[in-house]
Amino acid sequence: MDIAVQAALILFAGVAFLLIIGAPISISVGVASALAMFSIVDFNNGLLTSAQRMFTGMNSFTLLAIPFFILAGVIMNNGGIAMRLVNCAKVLSGRLPGSLAHTNIVANMMFGSISGSAVAAAAAVGGTMGPLQKKEGYNQEFSAAVNIASAPTGMLIPPSNTLIVYSLVSGGTSIAALFMAGYIPGILWGLGCMLVAFLLAKKYGYKSDDKVSFAIALKVFLDAIPSLLLIVIVIGGIIGGVFTATEGSAIAVVYSLLLSFIYRTIKIKDLPGILLDSAKTTSIVIFLIGVSSIMSWVMAFTNIPGIIADTLLSISDNMFVILLIMNIVLLIVGTFMDPTPAVLIFTPIFLPIATSFGIDPVHFGIMIVFNLSIGTITPPVGPVLFVGTKVAGLRIESVIKPLLPFFLVTVLVLFLITYIPELSLFIPELFNLTGN
């Protein structure tokens, strides 16, 4: 058997087997990649090469943005920011039927865009909105579905750790361009959820809130401005070239910490626990990136991306068909794999095919992250689905049916994003970030 074919079989069969027996994705990728490496070179050189690839993969200034944004998200999740954003969202959406559902969606979009974490948004906003909706007579399964479906918008609306990972693995696609490209798709996702919530609220007879006076609305907005200013400072600084994404992530930590101290929601004694939580999450992400670097080396040696490209192109040379196949594959992959490892594995495979058709790497990055974000709300692995149901105190099976309309709308938006590049590229081109 050809050595490249043998290594490829060991790689994919190893990952599949380890995942089936319940091994964590990082361990599955790392062990299978190392075994494939040993089939290519001898044991000693394999160990040395694997260690070098892991170190090289993690040795990146750009990657420093991830632990800082994670830390900022943990601080905000513990810093009383969620309730202020919920109040602001309530003023913005309170006149719509099913106002509390719309408040949940808007709050998830705002909190997710500040923390960059769909899971954090589902926990913080869902924990706040769930009891309020229950008190107003909302169906609990419906409320949980609204929260779960809208939480991933924060993975697209910047700052987004998944987009930073894509930037790294795609060969240095501009993080500023990717951040700007995420706004319209993320907002479209949220608006799609609001449309479904509106139709279901009319069906169930959920009412809108009473009109809020101008004085109260102004007070709520002013209360939320310090939290929302974080987006302006960090994203504005990155786009304006004042600082890099990594420097912006450090500023986000300092700003969110100062804000939490001002709100008196975090004390000095809370910091060790916050740092430990963020360190645990960071270690998982960075280790994944390291072991995926070994996998990338093996795939490059065995020419797996080229083989897959030739296979896809043998099916069709039509760009629209190829993109459809990619979307279907990624939707399936997203049901059992988290977005970060999926981006690390499939970007090197699919991006060369996409660019051969003239597709902008920024547009493709938004497409792949949007697609895999849908996987966070689908069983069997979806982390947002698990957190959302846990916060609501419900079983996963009870939420699947009310979640289906939201899932269908997000898939529809996915295809709009896929086939209308301007939805992703309009803002980056407006700011001259794409080089076009």
Side-chain angles (χ1 to χ4, degrees):
M1 183 185 293
D2 181 80
I3 190 171
V5 175
Q6 178 180 300
L9 287 174
I10 292 172
L11 177 64
F12 288 112
V15 171
F17 173 75
L18 289 166
L19 286 175
I20 288 170
I21 65 173
I25 180 68
S26 56
I27 301 299
S28 302
V29 171
V31 171
S33 300
L35 291 174
M37 178 78 76
F38 298 149
S39 73
I40 297 169
V41 296
D42 63 76
F43 184 77
N44 288 334
N45 285 327
L47 279 179
L48 179 62
T49 305
S50 297
Q52 287 175 336
R53 293 306 306 169
M54 284 189 70
F55 178 79
T56 303
M58 295 185 287
N59 185 27
S60 168
F61 178 73
T62 302
L63 276 183
L64 282 174
I66 293 178
F68 280 123
F69 276 131
I70 288 173
L71 177 56
V74 175
I75 291 170
M76 284 180 263
N77 204 22
N78 290 273
I81 291 173
M83 194 63 216
R84 288 169 173 81
L85 295 179
V86 165
N87 290 335
C88 181
K90 198 170 183 181
V91 170
L92 290 172
S93 57
R95 300 302 296 159
L96 295 170
S99 57
L100 290 180
H102 297 292
T103 298
N104 195 327
I105 295 168
V106 176
N108 267 337
M109 292 169 70
M110 291 193 293
F111 188 83
S113 68
I114 291 175
S115 69
S117 171
V119 171
V125 178
T128 302
M129 291 303 305
L132 294 177
Q133 293 181 72
K134 184 178 180 180
K135 184 179 178 182
E136 292 294 321
Y138 283 63
N139 177 278
Q140 281 186 274
E141 287 76 13
F142 166 75
S143 299
V146 168
N147 182 48
I148 292 164
S150 57
T153 53
M155 298 177 68
L156 291 158
I157 302 174
S160 166
N161 291 330
T162 314
L163 289 175
I164 294 172
V165 172
Y166 171 81
S167 169
L168 178 75
V169 76
S170 64
T173 306
S174 166
I175 294 178
L178 288 167
F179 277 7
M180 287 294 96
Y183 273 111
I184 292 177
I187 291 170
L188 286 176
W189 182 320
L191 290 175
C193 289
M194 291 182 75
L195 175 62
V196 174
F198 175 84
L199 295 174
L200 292 177
K202 295 283 282 185
K203 176 183 176 181
Y204 296 143
Y206 297 142
K207 305 297 182 184
S208 60
D209 283 345
D210 295 331
K211 189 175 181 180
V212 177
S213 69
F214 177 77
I216 294 175
L218 183 61
K219 183 180 182 301
V220 168
F221 279 124
L222 290 175
D223 199 30
I225 281 176
S227 303
L228 295 173
L229 267 178
L230 177 63
I231 305 172
V232 178
I233 294 169
V234 174
I235 304 303
I238 294 171
I239 301 306
V242 179
F243 42 73
T244 65
T246 303
E247 292 162 345
S249 65
I251 290 169
V253 170
V254 174
Y255 185 89
S256 57
L257 192 58
L258 288 174
L259 201 58
S260 298
F261 282 145
I262 291 170
Y263 289 155
R264 297 181 179 179
T265 48
I266 288 181
K267 299 180 175 63
I268 297 294
K269 67 178 182 179
D270 299 324
L271 292 181
I274 288 172
L275 290 171
L276 182 61
D277 285 347
S278 61
K280 287 178 181 177
T281 305
T282 298
S283 63
I284 294 169
V285 175
I286 300 301
F287 182 66
L288 263 172
I289 292 170
V291 295
S292 295
S293 298
I294 308 174
M295 175 179 271
S296 298
W297 188 93
V298 174
M299 289 198 299
F301 179 86
T302 56
N303 193 33
I304 290 172
I307 294 169
I308 293 176
D310 291 340
T311 303
L312 282 177
L313 294 173
S314 69
I315 296 172
S316 174
D317 59 358
N318 186 299
M319 179 183 71
F320 298 102
V321 175
I322 296 298
L323 287 174
L324 176 63
I325 295 171
M326 287 182 183
N327 274 323
I328 292 171
V329 170
L330 291 170
L331 281 171
I332 295 171
V333 166
T335 63
F336 62 86
M337 188 178 289
D338 283 345
T340 298
V343 166
L344 289 165
I345 293 169
F346 286 93
T347 298
I349 295 174
F350 286 157
L351 182 59
I353 304 172
T355 53
S356 71
F357 284 104
I359 296 172
D360 191 292
V362 173
H363 169 219
F364 183 76
I366 297 301
M367 186 196 93
I368 194 171
V369 171
F370 193 110
N371 199 314
L372 295 169
S373 296
I374 295 175
T376 64
I377 65 173
T378 57
V381 175
V384 176
L385 177 63
F386 277 91
V387 170
T389 51
K390 185 178 179 181
V391 168
L394 300 170
R395 294 173 59 85
I396 289 176
E397 306 86 67
S398 66
V399 179
I400 299 301
K401 186 177 178 180
L403 195 58
L404 284 176
F406 295 97
F407 176 79
L408 293 174
V409 166
T410 54
V411 171
L412 176 61
V413 176
L414 166 64
F415 284 107
L416 290 176
I417 300 302
T418 300
Y419 294 116
I420 307 177
E422 290 76 16
L423 292 175
S424 301
L425 298 177
F426 173 73
I427 297 180
E429 288 174 352
L430 194 65
F431 285 91
N432 231 359
L433 297 171
T434 60
N436 295 337

